[in-house]
Amino acid sequence: LAGFLHLLDVHLLACCNLQLRTLDVCGCRMLTDGGLAAVLRASAASLNALNVRGTRFGDISAIALASAGCHTLSRLNVSCTALTDRALKLLCEQAEAIEVL
């Protein structure tokens, strides 16, 4: 899905019932922090790789992902987002398998 500039939360929310292992929405600037949080909460247990570079990914999404149990997440790209250091720290503490940040 990376690069789809007109991708909206409603489109991404259609994936909520899927056990996503990889989610790449790099550059999808129309996605909101809340919309990303809903999808990440639903896929946290199966997610291995997440690329949200250049999106509105922020503390709401990070906290939702961390609290849903992102123990299998090994690759994470949160560059060019509004994520704070505090939320990133919390996320990394929960994502025990992180190899690439």
Side-chain angles (χ1 to χ4, degrees), residues 39-96:
V39 171
L40 294 173
R41 195 175 299 115
S43 297
S46 61
L47 202 59
N48 295 323
L50 176 63
N51 183 357
V52 289
R53 182 182 195 281
T55 67
R56 294 186 199 173
F57 182 91
D59 292 359
I60 293 170
S61 297
I63 292 167
L65 182 57
S67 55
C70 55
H71 306 292
T72 61
L73 187 64
S74 62
R75 300 177 67 85
L76 177 64
N77 185 349
V78 292
S79 58
C80 303
T81 65
L83 187 63
T84 64
D85 291 344
R86 183 175 170 208
L88 178 59
K89 181 178 186 272
L90 173 69
L91 183 54
C92 288
E93 287 171 352
Q94 295 302 313
E96 303 156 349

Side-chain angles (χ1 to χ4, degrees), residues 10-30:
V10 68
H11 302 129
L12 194 58
L13 291 172
C15 299
C16 271
N17 293 330
L18 304 174
Q19 293 298 307
L20 299 174
R21 291 197 275 175
T22 301
L23 180 61
D24 185 348
V25 290
C26 175
C28 298
R29 294 182 191 107
M30 300 295 285

